Amino acid sequence: MRKAFPRKGRGVLFVVLVLAAAAYFAYDFFFSTKPEFKSYAEFYSLVADGRVGEAVLSADGICFTVSGEDGAEYVTDNPASPTLKEYLLLHGVEVTEEKDAAAIISLVFDIVFYAFFFGVFLFAFRKFISPNTFRVVRNTGVKFADVVGMDGLKRDMAQVMEILKDPAGYAARGIRAPKGILLEGAPGNGKTLFARALAGEAKVNFIPAKATDFESMFMAIGPMKVKLLFRKARRRAPCIVFIDEFDGIGTRRNYSGSAIETENTRIVTALLNELDGFEPARGILVIAATNSVKALDEALIRPGRFDARVSVPYPDYEARKQLVAMYSRGKNPSPECSEEALAKKFDGFSCVKIESVLNRAALLASQEGRASFTMGDIEAACRQAG
């Protein structure tokens, strides 16, 4: 292990440095040769006679040499005349300008300002248009067995999964995978989970995105992010690109001229270009989830871009029974809260709402010191859930 520098040695080193600095300044003050002073009139006459070889202009004065005097230096006042430098150059004088302390400080502040400005710009660029904005999930860890219900949709997607695994082989037979699938349904019914399960079953990369990922305080950032997303998808193919809250960026274009509408129009146009710009044989499938198809731009969801439009309904009776069984594990429901009874009670509930009500009911029972929740707790939880 390296030994620390002795404290006594550090003191000696400090004293040596102070003495060396003092000696330098003392020598400069007492022994250095000071240039002889000449009046500005004499200097001007010498320049006019062509006898000044070099001149150094500074805020403190003018230091110059006279030809034929073996490099002797003289100093005179600097009137800061705007025509002085031109006059000297016209008379063959080699002119050097030294910046004063104020000019140096101003230059330093300019450098700091521009460094700060470009630093903020680069930070904003990395934050809003960073290549890491859209992460690639290589294994979602979700399969169709984890998705309750949607049996018909699972069957329909079986062929799509096979095409995703071998897009070139199917393309040679004249069969292409759909470019896009639009999932429509109320929030909380498993659209995102289904997209992740599809990627897991197909064993392809999964790139999730949502509408807020394309929003920015700067204009034109949204379309750039659209291009970034699809550029990454092409590099990671075969893959599934999932865009949640699609109605947040794919709304009907409005040419009213406002900044918000202009940005939305640019994003939709960028999406149209990207959806038309990749070949199905590359193995890229776009899945978009929305709560309202009517709000979407018609050109965006036409066949050839989104070939399939699937409605994700509320879970049916059998699906609700499975959800009750899944979300009741470890919560110890009372005998009256059977799977059948709760499935009937939860008619019209979304998957997320069923989980929330069961969790709230168990919490209410726990607050009263009961080990299991009852139908009364379920009723109270439903009223709180709205």
Side-chain angles (χ1 to χ4, degrees), residues 326-357:
M326 178 190 304
Y327 295 134
S328 295
R329 292 183 191 134
K331 292 183 173 62
N332 193 23
S334 63
E336 64 178 332
C337 295
S338 64
E339 293 176 9
E340 293 76 10
L342 291 180
K344 292 178 181 178
K345 178 67 178 177
F346 294 153
D347 186 19
F349 282 27
S350 67
C351 303
V352 172
K353 188 172 181 179
I354 292 174
E355 189 278 334
S356 178
V357 167

Side-chain angles (χ1 to χ4, degrees), residues 14 44 67 69-70 114 122-123 129 333 344 358:
F14 176 75
Y44 204 85
S67 302
E69 296 192 10
D70 297 329
Y114 285 113
L122 291 175
F123 173 78
I129 325 177
K344 292 178 181 178
L358 289 171

Side-chain angles (χ1 to χ4, degrees), residues 57-80:
L57 308 182
S58 67
D60 297 330
I62 302 173
C63 185
F64 63 96
T65 59
V66 179
S67 302
E69 296 192 10
D70 297 329
E73 292 185 348
Y74 300 92
V75 66
T76 187
D77 296 318
N78 186 353

Side-chain angles (χ1 to χ4, degrees), residues 149-166:
M150 304 188 197
D151 296 330
L153 185 56
K154 293 175 186 177
R155 289 191 295 271
D156 294 340
M157 291 298 105
Q159 187 74 29
V160 174
M161 288 188 297
E162 295 300 321
I163 299 176
L164 277 175
K165 293 176 183 178
D166 184 23

Side-chain angles (χ1 to χ4, degrees), residues 24-326:
Y24 173 80
F25 287 112
Y27 176 83
D28 183 66
F29 183 79
F30 292 107
F31 302 103
S32 62
T33 303
K34 303 296 182 184
E36 181 183 343
F37 181 81
K38 287 184 178 294
S39 67
Y40 186 74
E42 291 180 272
F43 169 70
Y44 204 85
S45 297
L46 289 170
V47 173
D49 294 340
R51 297 181 58 192
V52 176
E54 298 178 0
V56 179
L57 308 182
S58 67
D60 297 330
I62 302 173
C63 185
F64 63 96
T65 59
V66 179
S67 302
E69 296 192 10
D70 297 329
E73 292 185 348
Y74 300 92
V75 66
T76 187
D77 296 318
N78 186 353
S81 171
T83 61
L84 176 60
K85 183 176 180 180
E86 180 184 10
Y87 178 76
L88 296 176
L89 293 173
L90 290 174
H91 286 79
V93 180
E94 294 184 13
V95 181
T96 303
E97 289 186 282
E98 287 186 351
K99 294 187 179 293
D100 60 350
I104 294 175
I105 293 174
S106 177
L107 178 62
V108 170
F109 273 104
D110 287 344
I111 293 174
V112 170
F113 170 78
Y114 285 113
F116 175 78
F117 175 80
F118 285 110
V120 170
F121 177 79
L122 291 175
F123 173 78
F125 181 83
R126 287 187 60 82
K127 183 175 179 61
F128 294 109
I129 325 177
S130 170
N132 299 321
T133 300
F134 304 104
R135 61 188 181 90
V136 179
V137 181
R138 299 185 182 279
N139 182 11
T140 62
V142 183
K143 297 295 181 68
F144 280 162
D146 301 311
V147 181
V148 176
M150 304 188 197
D151 296 330
L153 185 56
K154 293 175 186 177
R155 289 191 295 271
D156 294 340
M157 291 298 105
Q159 187 74 29
V160 174
M161 288 188 297
E162 295 300 321
I163 299 176
L164 277 175
K165 293 176 183 178
D166 184 23
Y170 277 87
R173 293 155 53 187
I175 302 173
R176 69 168 180 85
K179 285 187 176 182
I181 298 174
L182 193 62
L183 301 179
E184 180 192 17
N189 276 335
K191 297 187 290 293
T192 302
L193 183 64
F194 177 80
R196 296 177 67 88
L198 181 59
E201 289 286 347
K203 297 179 181 180
V204 297
N205 291 323
F206 182 72
I207 307 178
K210 53 186 180 297
T212 53
D213 291 333
F214 302 93
E215 296 175 357
S216 172
M217 61 185 295
F218 301 107
M219 291 291 290
I221 295 295
M224 292 180 67
K225 286 188 174 182
V226 171
K227 295 177 182 178
L228 174 65
L229 172 62
F230 283 89
R231 190 181 307 125
K232 181 170 285 190
R234 291 185 184 94
R235 292 199 303 265
R236 303 293 184 175
C239 70
I240 291 176
V241 176
F242 176 69
I243 306 177
D244 200 6
E245 304 163 3
F246 195 52
D247 45 290
I249 60 171
T251 53
R252 296 176 185 272
R253 284 169 287 182
N254 186 338
Y255 300 96
S256 64
S258 67
I260 295 176
E261 295 297 342
T262 300
E263 181 72 354
N264 177 73
T265 298
R266 289 174 177 171
I267 291 176
V268 172
T269 303
L271 282 169
L272 293 173
N273 292 335
E274 294 298 334
L275 288 170
D276 290 340
F278 66 82
E279 295 295 328
R282 293 293 301 273
I284 301 173
L285 174 65
V286 180
I287 300 180
T290 178
N291 301 329
S292 175
V293 171
K294 295 180 180 179
L296 297 175
D297 192 273
E298 293 180 357
L300 192 60
I301 59 175
R302 69 162 174 79
R305 290 177 179 136
F306 284 92
D307 298 293
R309 184 183 301 180
V310 180
S311 178
V312 181
Y314 287 107
D316 58 17
Y317 177 74
E318 291 299 325
R320 292 197 300 273
K321 284 175 57 178
Q322 296 178 49
L323 289 169
V324 169
M326 178 190 304

